[in-house]
Amino acid sequence: MINQHLQAAIPSVSFANAELQEFIDYRPDAREVRKALAVKLVYQGYKYEEIQTILDVSVASITSLVTS
């Protein structure tokens, strides 16, 4: 299920998404990748609750990533 959602998130719509994708591609740390994916999904218009389901993270952690 995660791969299905990630494939939908891969197309870079903006410069920020392209930078995030590059970051994701070259990071071996799964936690860093998950954080970057959460931010990317927010930029792409996903709701926090959707991201929570896709990445199995809390809404609070998504909020802290986006507001920090």
Side-chain angles (χ1 to χ4, degrees):
M1 180 172 152
I2 290 176
N3 285 339
Q4 184 179 26
H5 290 286
L6 295 180
Q7 286 177 349
I10 297 300
S12 297
V13 178
S14 68
F15 183 73
N17 278 339
E19 283 187 345
L20 283 168
Q21 189 60 48
E22 184 177 338
F23 178 88
I24 291 164
D25 290 341
Y26 295 102
R27 292 294 184 268
D29 184 349
R31 290 179 303 168
E32 289 183 7
V33 170
R34 189 173 285 193
K35 290 176 184 178
L37 285 171
V39 172
K40 185 174 180 180
L41 291 170
V42 167
Y43 283 154
Q44 291 182 333
Y46 284 79
K47 295 180 175 138
Y48 289 6
E49 292 77 15
E50 293 171 317
I51 298 168
Q52 177 183 23
T53 301
I54 294 167
L55 298 178
D56 193 29
V57 296
S58 70
V59 171
S61 67
I62 299 165
T63 303
S64 69
L65 289 171
V66 175
T67 60
S68 59

